[in-house]
Amino acid sequence: MQTLIYFIGFALICLASHRIGALLSWLRLPYITGYLFTGVLVGSFGLDFIPTSASESLRFIDQIALAVIAFVAGSELFYKELISRLRSILWTVALIIVAAFVLLGGAIYLLVDVIPFTQSLPPTEKIVVALLGATILLALSPPSTIAVIKEVRARGPATRLILGVTICMDVAIIVIFAINSSLAQALINNTGVSLTFLGVLLLDLALAVGLGAAIWRLLVVLLDQRLPRLVKIAGVVLIGYSVYVLAGVLKMYDIGGVKIAIEPLLTTMIGGFLITNFSRHRDEFAGLLHDIGPPIYVAFFTLTGLALKLDILLTALIFAAILFIVRGAGIFVGSSSGAAIAGEPTRIRRLAWLGLITQAGIALGLAREVSVTFPSLGDAFATLIIAVIVLNEIFGPLMLRAGLQRLGETNLPEPGIRDRVRDVLILGVELQSIALARQLSRQGWRVRVADTDAEHVRRLATEDVDERHIDAIDETNLAGLLDRSTDALVALLENDEDNLRACQIAMEKFGVPRLIVRLRRQDLREQFRELGALIVDPGTAMVNLLEQAVRAPQSISLLLHTDETNDVVQMTVTNPEINGRLVRDLRLPNDVLLLEINRDGQTILPHGYTQLRYGDEVTVVGKAESLREVAIRLGY
C-alpha cells in the first residue's frame, strides 16, 4: 500500500517535473536539469513531499527506465551507417577509453582521500570507487548529440565521426561496466580474482548475450502481431523489466562462492541492437521507443533527483568541477591520438573532442545501478558522479555546437553547391506568378520574377517580391537571372515562343534541371518535351485536378497545401555516404514516405531494395519537422 501511495504521488510530481523541464529549456538548460531539480525540490532536502527513502520503493521505475534507455542505445548502433568510418571510430573509442580511464581513475582515487564523505572508505572500496567512477564518466549521450546535430543541421566527416564514436562508446562502456562491476564485487567481498571468478565472469557475459538474443526473438514475436500500439508499447516495457527481474533471481545463485551477476543494461542493449540490425521491425521498434521516451525520461531523471543528497551535492561541486576538467583532458588526449592513428585531418584531431563531452541517460543509469548494487558506497558515490554528469550535460551541448561551427560543418553545402536555399526564376509578371513567388518564398526558396513587358512589372510591383524588367528573352538578359545554381525556371510568359527560347537557354547554357511551362500552343508541345520540361496545360489542368480530387482526395490536400500536417517536397541527394545505400537502410522517420526517385530523367518507383545514387532527385511526403531531418541526411 505504501508503494502505491508513493507511486501515485510520484506520478503527479512527474507532471510538474515535465513543465519545469520545459521552463528551464527557455534558459538554454537541458530538460534533465529541470527534472533533477524537481526531484531534489520535492525530496527530503526540499519540500519533503516524498521522502528520499521512497526511491527504494520506486526502484521498479528505475529498472523500467534503464531497460528502455538500453534499448535506445542498442537501436542507435546501426552498423550500416557506421561501417564507412569504422576504422576511425574504433581507434578513437579505444584511445579515449585508455587515456580517459587512466586520468579519471587516478584523479578519483586521489580525490577519495580529500572528499569528506569518502575519506573513511577502506582501501579496497577506494579502488572500487575509482574503477566504477571512471567507467561511468566515460559514457556519452547519443540522444543529446543527435539533437544538437539536427539543430545546427551539421553534416560532414567530423559530424559522422563524433556521432559514431558517441554511439559506439556507450556500447563499449556498458560491456566494460559489466566486467568492472563483477571485479568490484570481488574486491568488496574479498573473494579475489581466481580462475573460478574468471569463469563465472565469462559465463555472465555469455548469459547476457544469450538473453539478449532471447529478448530479440521475444520482441520480434511481439511486433509480428497485429496489436494496438499501446499494447505493443506495454509489451516492450514488460520485456525490458523482466530482464531486471530475471537478473535478480540469478543473483541468488553462485558457483564456487562467486555469484552469477548478468548486467541487465548489457542484455537489453544487445536485444535493441539485434532487432535494429537483423529484423524487419527496425522502424516500428524505433517508433515505439520514441513514443515511450518522453514519460520514461521524466520519471527516471525526477527519481534520480529525488535520491540525491543535497548536502553531499553542494560539498561535491568543487570535486565535480575537477573531474569535469580531467575528463575533458582525457577525451582530448584519446580522441586526438585515435584520430591521428586513423589518418584524420588535423582540424578533426584538434576539435573532435569538443563533441564528446555530453552525458545523460546511460551515465546516470549506471550511477544509480552502483548506488543500489553496492550499498557500502551508497548515495554519496552516486551524488558525486551525478554532479559531474550534470556539468557535462549543461556544457556538453554548448561545446558540441561550438566545435561543429569551428569545424565548418554547420549549415554547409556539399562541394559544388552554392547554398542550401533553392533558387527559382519565374518569367511573366501576373497575379498567378506573384502568388507563386510568395508561396515559394514561404517555403524557403529564393525567388525572382521577370517580364519583358515593363507595364506588367510596374502595375504589379510589390515590396515582398523581387520583380525585374528585361528587354528580351536572350542569353545576355537571362545571364543576370540564371546561373549554374538555379534549380528551376517557371515560364509563364504570354508568348509561348519566348517561353520555349527561355527554356532552351536555361537548359543548354546554364544547366537548369527543372523547367516548368504553361503551354497555350499545342504545336510547340513536342519541342518542350524534348527539353524535358514539365508542361502545364491550362485547358486540361483544372479537369485533371478535379479528377484527382475525386479519385484520391488526400493527394489533393497535399498538393494544394490544405493538409496542415504533411507536405510534399523534392530533394537532391548530395550526401556522398548515401550513394549506393538501399532505401530500407536509410532509417527515415516513421512519418516520412519516399514516393519517387528521378535519375537521369528516368522515374523510379522505389522499394526497400532500391539503391540511391548521388544526384538523385527524390520526392518525399511527411511532417515538416521530419522532412528537415531527411534533408540533413540526404542533401538539400
Side-chain angles (χ1 to χ4, degrees):
M1 178 59 71
Q2 188 67 47
T3 299
L4 179 60
I5 294 173
Y6 283 152
F7 177 75
I8 294 173
F10 182 72
L12 294 174
I13 287 168
C14 284
L15 296 177
S17 181
H18 180 264
R19 294 300 304 156
I20 292 173
L23 288 173
L24 288 187
S25 70
W26 292 354
L27 302 176
R28 309 294 293 176
L29 291 173
Y31 279 86
I32 71 164
T33 306
Y35 305 155
L36 291 170
F37 171 75
T38 305
V40 173
L41 183 65
V42 301
S44 299
F45 291 90
L47 301 175
D48 202 19
F49 288 160
I50 296 182
T52 299
S53 59
S55 61
E56 291 303 317
S57 300
L58 300 174
R59 173 63 178 159
F60 69 93
I61 297 178
D62 251 349
Q63 294 172 334
I64 290 172
L66 289 171
V68 171
I69 289 171
F71 277 146
V72 172
S75 68
E76 293 289 351
L77 190 64
F78 187 51
Y79 76 91
K80 291 183 179 179
E81 291 183 350
L82 303 175
I83 196 70
S84 63
R85 300 191 64 79
L86 192 58
R87 182 171 182 271
S88 295
I89 290 171
L90 292 180
W91 271 114
T92 304
V93 168
L95 270 294
I96 288 176
I97 290 174
V98 172
F101 191 85
V102 170
L103 290 177
L104 279 170
I108 293 173
Y109 187 80
L110 294 175
L111 286 175
V112 165
D113 289 327
V114 181
I115 301 173
F117 49 82
T118 58
Q119 288 177 342
S120 60
L121 291 177
T124 53
E125 292 191 8
K126 291 178 181 179
I127 295 174
V128 169
V129 170
L131 188 69
L132 296 177
T135 303
I136 294 169
L137 291 180
L138 282 174
L140 302 178
S141 175
S144 299
T145 302
I146 292 169
V148 173
I149 288 173
K150 288 180 180 178
E151 179 184 343
V152 300
R153 298 176 62 86
R155 196 178 75 203
T159 302
R160 294 190 291 272
L161 177 64
I162 289 170
L163 185 56
V165 169
T166 301
I167 294 170
C168 292
M169 180 68 82
D170 272 6
V171 175
I173 291 309
I174 291 176
V175 176
I176 293 172
F177 179 81
I179 296 171
N180 286 348
S181 181
S182 297
L183 289 172
Q185 288 190 23
L187 289 171
I188 290 178
N189 298 328
N190 292 317
T191 57
V193 179
S194 61
L195 289 177
T196 301
F197 169 80
L198 293 175
V200 173
L201 176 58
L202 291 175
L203 176 63
D204 291 343
L205 295 175
L207 283 173
V209 173
L211 288 174
I215 293 299
W216 165 46
R217 297 309 307 167
L218 281 174
L219 288 171
V220 169
V221 171
L222 171 67
L223 299 178
D224 274 337
Q225 309 306 310
R226 302 176 69 87
L227 298 171
R229 192 170 184 83
L230 285 177
V231 174
K232 289 188 176 182
I233 288 175
V236 170
V237 170
L238 183 61
I239 289 171
Y241 178 62
S242 67
V243 176
Y244 279 85
V245 175
L246 180 59
V249 172
L250 290 176
K251 281 183 179 179
M252 295 187 295
Y253 299 93
D254 62 76
I255 299 176
V258 181
K259 289 187 176 296
I260 298 175
I262 65 166
E263 176 50 56
L265 276 171
L266 178 59
T267 299
T268 46
M269 185 197 67
I270 290 172
F273 167 78
L274 291 174
I275 198 167
T276 296
N277 290 275
F278 303 105
S279 84
R280 61 187 180 87
H281 297 294
R282 175 175 63 241
D283 294 334
E284 184 182 6
F285 185 61
L288 294 176
L289 293 178
H290 182 270
D291 292 344
I292 301 170
I296 286 292
Y297 291 141
V298 172
F300 174 71
F301 293 126
T302 304
L303 189 59
T304 301
L306 181 66
L308 285 178
K309 306 289 188 182
L310 190 58
D311 54 343
I312 297 176
L313 180 63
L314 295 176
T315 306
L317 283 179
I318 182 64
F319 305 107
I322 293 172
L323 292 177
F324 171 78
I325 295 171
V326 172
R327 179 177 181 270
I331 290 175
F332 169 74
V333 172
S335 64
S336 57
S337 302
I341 294 175
E344 294 290 343
T346 302
R347 65 187 181 88
I348 293 181
R349 301 178 201 173
R350 289 189 294 105
L351 297 172
W353 72 278
L354 291 170
L356 303 172
I357 300 299
T358 303
Q359 286 191 296
I362 288 294
L364 283 171
L366 294 177
R368 293 282 293 148
E369 280 283 293
V370 170
S371 67
V372 173
T373 306
F374 302 94
S376 60
L377 302 181
D379 293 331
F381 171 85
T383 300
L384 171 63
I385 299 301
I386 288 170
V388 185
I389 294 170
V390 169
L391 290 177
N392 291 326
E393 177 63 12
I394 292 173
F395 293 104
L398 300 176
M399 296 174 72
L400 171 58
R401 188 181 293 109
L404 292 173
Q405 289 172 345
R406 293 181 63 184
L407 285 162
E409 296 192 0
T410 55
N411 291 298
L412 286 184
E414 291 294 327
I417 298 177
R418 179 184 56 79
D419 203 327
R420 286 188 183 275
V421 177
R422 293 283 194 176
D423 187 282
V424 60
L425 171 63
I426 302 174
L427 292 177
V429 176
E430 56 180 56
L431 292 177
Q432 285 186 343
S433 64
I434 297 298
L436 174 62
R438 287 172 174 157
Q439 196 154 322
L440 288 172
S441 295
R442 285 195 294 270
Q443 296 295 323
W445 286 64
R446 177 173 175 259
V447 186
R448 294 172 309 288
V449 185
D451 202 321
T452 54
D453 190 324
E455 176 59 23
H456 286 180
V457 177
R458 184 194 62 76
R459 180 164 48 86
L460 293 175
T462 179
E463 292 182 0
D464 61 338
V465 177
D466 181 3
E467 298 153 306
R468 307 184 188 186
H469 171 254
I470 54 177
D471 294 327
I473 301 299
D474 54 34
E475 184 177 349
T476 302
N477 282 283
L478 292 180
L481 300 171
L482 297 172
D483 57 38
R484 290 286 173 180
S485 68
T486 303
D487 293 285
L489 169 72
V490 182
L492 304 177
L493 295 168
E494 295 179 351
N495 188 322
D496 276 350
E497 290 183 346
D498 285 343
N499 287 330
L500 178 60
R501 191 178 307 111
C503 289
Q504 290 171 334
I505 294 171
M507 189 194 73
E508 296 170 3
K509 302 298 182 182
F510 300 100
V512 176
R514 302 182 192 176
L515 305 174
I516 301 97
V517 60
R518 182 181 60 195
L519 183 64
R520 293 181 177 85
R521 287 180 50 184
Q522 296 304 312
D523 59 308
L524 298 177
R525 176 179 292 270
E526 192 58 36
Q527 295 183 58
F528 279 111
R529 280 183 174 172
E530 290 176 359
L531 294 172
L534 175 62
I535 301 172
V536 178
D537 189 338
T540 60
M542 182 56 70
V543 174
N544 292 335
L545 193 63
L546 291 171
E547 179 198 6
Q548 189 69 14
V550 173
R551 295 172 56 220
Q554 184 60 38
S555 65
I556 293 299
S557 66
L558 290 170
L559 292 174
L560 298 181
H561 299 285
T562 57
D563 185 337
E564 298 180 357
T565 304
N566 298 300
D567 198 3
V568 179
V569 298
Q570 188 165 320
M571 302 175 184
T572 305
V573 177
T574 57
N575 182 356
E577 292 200 352
I578 297 298
N579 188 46
R581 181 82 60 84
L582 298 179
V583 169
R584 68 192 300 267
D585 293 333
L586 291 178
R587 299 187 76 192
L588 298 177
N590 289 330
D591 55 359
V592 169
L593 180 64
L594 179 57
L595 299 177
E596 184 179 275
I597 301 172
N598 187 280
R599 180 182 302 157
D600 300 327
Q602 301 296 316
T603 297
I604 301 172
L605 296 179
H607 51 76
Y609 292 92
T610 302
Q611 284 188 331
L612 286 181
R613 300 295 183 192
Y614 188 92
D616 280 353
E617 294 278 348
V618 297
T619 304
V620 290
V621 59
K623 295 179 180 178
E625 181 180 350
S626 298
L627 291 176
R628 285 192 292 270
E629 180 181 340
V630 174
I632 294 173
R633 293 190 190 184
L634 300 186
Y636 79 117

